[in-house]
Amino acid sequence: MKVLVPVKRVIDYNVKVRVKADQTGVELANVKMSMNPFDEISVEEAIRLKEAGKADEVVVVSLGVQQCQETIRTALAMGADRGILVTHDGDLEPLAVAKMLKAIVDKEEPGLVILGKQAIDDDCNQTGQMLAALLGWPQGTFASEIEIGDGSMKVVREVDGGLETVTLNMPAIVTTDLRLNEPRYASLPNIMKAKKKPIDTMTPADLGVDPAPRLEVLKVVEPAKREAGIKVPDVATLVEKLHNEAKVI
Amino acid sequence: MSILVVAEHDNSALKPATLNAVAAAVAIGGDIDVLVAGSDAGSAAAEAAKVAGVSKVLHAEGAEYANALAENLAPLVVSLAGGYSHVLAAATTSGKNVMPRVAAALDVAQISEIIEVVDAETFVRPIYAGNALATVKSSDATKVITVRATAFEAAAAEGGSAGVESAASAGDAGMSTWNGSELSKSERPELTSAGIVISGGRGMQSGDNFPMLEGIADKLGAAVGASRAAVDAGFVPNDYQVGQTGKVVAPELYVAVGISGAIQHLAGMKDSKVIVAINKDEEAPIFQVADYGLVADLFKAVPELSDEIDKVRG
Ligand SMILES: Cc1cc2nc3c(=O)[nH]c(=O)nc-3n(C[C@H](O)[C@H](O)[C@H](O)COP(=O)(O)OP(=O)(O)OC[C@H]3O[C@@H](n4cnc5c(N)ncnc54)[C@H](O)[C@@H]3O)c2cc1C
Ligand SMILES: Nc1ncnc2c1ncn2[C@@H]1O[C@H](COP(=O)(O)O)[C@@H](O)[C@H]1O
């Protein structure tokens, strides 16, 4: 079975983002970029499936600017086999990404696609579900455990009330949650090896998809800042203030 | 304009976040219908009919809807969507699971987790863990939207008198089955709708220490939450996680105990009315958002907190 893993290049989760003065978006110049953390979990899971003999090839795909190639290389260094880069300079919304991924799935015919549950830049949490809809495949979102069976798979999902288990026919879509695994670090020899692994490059037009966004971003602003509070010297003062000043207890 | 709100329920009762989604529909304006798809869900449908502002309840019955499987629920919503300008659901794990599947099938964008309705086409949503707010305008024929519950005050559960119509099932897609769930049982209020939330982080050191927080929560009628680190370490179950990729809460009072205040955690609680932080590190970023900060060892402060609360409430 082939496993396809879409990986997104995003601002590193440790960076404090700054909104641009002209309110068109956030500052991306000279900012550290990394693989979306949920996508590292997806890559790790796919590699583990391969190591367990449940998958025979792990293909990673990234859509966006040319530098997404670095994100693909990171996944290849972790142990993925080859990459697909779809270059596009403008903004890409989940629907357009899902359409391009569908075109790639139609060609590559994977048995499983593992995406992150959410990109930490747009916080959309949409792409996997959209891809599942376009393909007519079942979806196991927010996965904290997966088990591949014979023609079907079990997915334990993190839901608001706790955990839920579903069985999906395969091929299927999975989106990863934080507790699925702990991604490995790439070793130096594997980083060197990854440089030789193949990456195919294509464009949205090659995939027959119009990547134009559907939503118009009118402005991007900073949220209101909270007023700085006070330090209290002890618990008695804290409780007195919560009771008499804030009146919340 | 006419709006369809996809209700979330457990077949017997509505989930509270549905009322916040209705409130967002009221802010958009127009006729509001509520879809209740479930198995033996008559009482949930009857409850939806009483919600203030609702014109009509569509009730779809079938075993295929018992557990809100996206593969079955999305085609039903799609089959009904033609008559509506907007389709809304709360941005719960259920809404997040189902609605993008609806949007893609309709070939429209989804607008995730709106926090404000500017007009019927324009909405505000947080991006980058709430460090930026984007105002976006949609010209899609149907606007598919998920609603951040804490940003819209719940519609009144009583006061409406909508009719209930039955809606035809779209059938079982036959792709997925629900095997079961392991839900955290608790007498405490639900995290996302509680008036007071007390959360513990890595500083708690072990799940065995959470009963300290639970004792206080029970005195105050509060819910208990946690940081990702506390969940990852297995101190508490996953559904306790507050943050960018967990639950968003905005209670009257949020107490963060042994939590450093990473941006991903702040994303889930910084709209709380009053924030208290108890942390032994006076440099911890949580103090930058706290109204009342106490620099102290939590193992000393939390038992004292319990005693002091008894005194003022005595
Ligand atoms: C993709 C992604 C998504 C994430 N999503 C979330 C999310 O939704 N929610 C979330 O919370 N995090 C999330 N995180 C993790 C986040 O970045 C932080 O790692 C996490 O919030 C830290 O948890 P913590 O504050 O409990 O632990 P730490 O950062 O380790 O802080 C522990 C704090 O406890 C204090 N402490 C220790 N002992 C004591 C004591 N005896 N008395 C008093 N204070 C004490 C310390 O001073 C310290 O400030 C996410 C990260 C990533 C990469
Ligand atoms: N431009 C992209 N390139 C590759 N994968 C993507 C891209 N955008 C989204 N994804 C995938 O979809 C997941 C969810 O993203 P989103 O729906 O934007 O929150 C991510 O974790 C990735 O797995």
Side-chain angles (χ1 to χ4, degrees), chain A residues 13-14 36-38 41 118 120 178, chain B residues 200-205 226-230 232 241-247 257-266 268 278-282 284-286 296-299:
Chain A
Y13 80 96
N14 273 315
N36 183 40
F38 288 100
I41 297 172
Q118 170 177 345
I120 60 163
L178 296 167
Chain B
R202 199 194 313 266
M204 295 296 293
Q205 284 179 15
S227 69
R228 173 191 174 181
D232 282 5
Q241 184 180 315
V242 170
Q244 178 188 18
T245 62
K247 287 180 181 161
V257 182
I259 292 178
S260 61
I263 47 174
Q264 292 85 7
H265 188 77
L266 301 185
I278 301 177
N279 196 305
K280 68 176 181 189
D281 173 10
E282 65 176 319
I286 190 77
D297 186 327
L298 71 92
F299 293 101

Side-chain angles (χ1 to χ4, degrees), chain A residues 106-173:
Chain A
D106 287 344
K107 195 162 136 253
E108 295 280 344
E109 300 184 335
L112 177 65
V113 185
I114 311 180
L115 304 90
K117 82 163 176 183
Q118 170 177 345
I120 60 163
D121 52 1
D122 63 25
D123 283 334
C124 275
N125 195 331
Q126 301 176 5
T127 308
Q129 298 88 313
M130 287 185 156
L131 177 61
L134 298 177
L135 289 164
W137 289 8
Q139 63 190 50
T141 53
F142 326 145
S144 71
E145 207 182 308
I146 66 172
E147 195 189 310
I148 310 278
D150 193 8
S152 70
M153 68 184 297
K154 267 209 174 93
V155 180
V156 180
R157 306 182 53 230
E158 293 202 359
V159 294
D160 287 336
L163 296 171
E164 164 180 299
T165 308
V166 293
T167 302
L168 311 177
N169 293 351
M170 293 186 76
I173 302 291

